[in-house]
Amino acid sequence: MLLTELLHPGILESLAGSGHGARVLLADGHYPAGTATGERARTVHLNLAPGLLDVTAVLDVLLRVLPVESAQAMVGPAGEPEPPALTEYRSLLAPVPLTTLGRFEFYDAARSPDLALAIVTADLRTYANLLLTIGVRGDVEGT
């Protein structure tokens, strides 16, 4: 038994094979994961039932095992209010910078060859998608 909260074998394997600059997509239940992810990315489906597991819950666990350098969130068209999920993401990620991208810009970023892992959740919120860039460990001697 592992001494970490993250126990999903596919997620652990993908993260262990990723390094600085690799990206992790946390997708809501509306995200087109079959067409808007990088070719080399592993896709893990955690969408057992609508609303059962959301992006915020997955982010909360990942932040305990993964150094995050930066993050990008999807937002709606200009003039629409900011998605409510962004408040949660900013709170959890602080002081990590969180920038926003429009829907199609976000899809392009998620199609990057740097995308190592796509985690599909059952989040019912609109525009609850988040793209994390893996950072470096700060506790290694000499860094």
Side-chain angles (χ1 to χ4, degrees), residues 77-103:
E80 280 193 17
E82 186 174 270
L86 266 62
T87 302
E88 293 177 9
Y89 301 161
R90 282 191 182 103
S91 176
L92 286 170
L93 286 163
V96 172
L98 174 65
T99 58
T100 58
L101 297 173
R103 179 176 158 207

Side-chain angles (χ1 to χ4, degrees), residues 64-127:
R64 289 194 274 276
V65 298
L66 180 69
V68 175
E69 177 177 284
S70 64
Q72 296 172 307
M74 182 188 285
V75 293
E80 280 193 17
E82 186 174 270
L86 266 62
T87 302
E88 293 177 9
Y89 301 161
R90 282 191 182 103
S91 176
L92 286 170
L93 286 163
V96 172
L98 174 65
T99 58
T100 58
L101 297 173
R103 179 176 158 207
F104 295 106
E105 293 171 300
F106 189 93
Y107 291 161
D108 288 343
R111 287 185 181 108
S112 162
D114 293 333
L115 187 71
L117 174 63
I119 301 173
V120 180
T121 72
D123 202 325
L124 297 176
R125 298 174 294 179
T126 305
Y127 303 115

Side-chain angles (χ1 to χ4, degrees), residues 5-13 42 44-46:
E5 293 178 65
L6 180 58
L7 298 176
H8 191 285
I11 294 173
L12 285 169
E13 179 182 11
R42 176 184 195 145
V44 173
H45 295 274
L46 299 180

Side-chain angles (χ1 to χ4, degrees), residues 2 4-19 22-27 41-47 53-55 57-66 116-121 132 134:
L2 297 174
T4 175
E5 293 178 65
L6 180 58
L7 298 176
H8 191 285
I11 294 173
L12 285 169
E13 179 182 11
S14 292
L15 293 177
S18 301
R23 293 179 167 189
V24 176
L25 168 66
L26 304 181
R42 176 184 195 145
T43 301
V44 173
H45 295 274
L46 299 180
N47 52 343
L53 187 61
D54 66 14
V55 171
V58 175
L59 175 62
D60 187 47
V61 173
L62 287 182
L63 288 174
R64 289 194 274 276
V65 298
L66 180 69
L117 174 63
I119 301 173
V120 180
T121 72
L132 306 174
I134 298 173

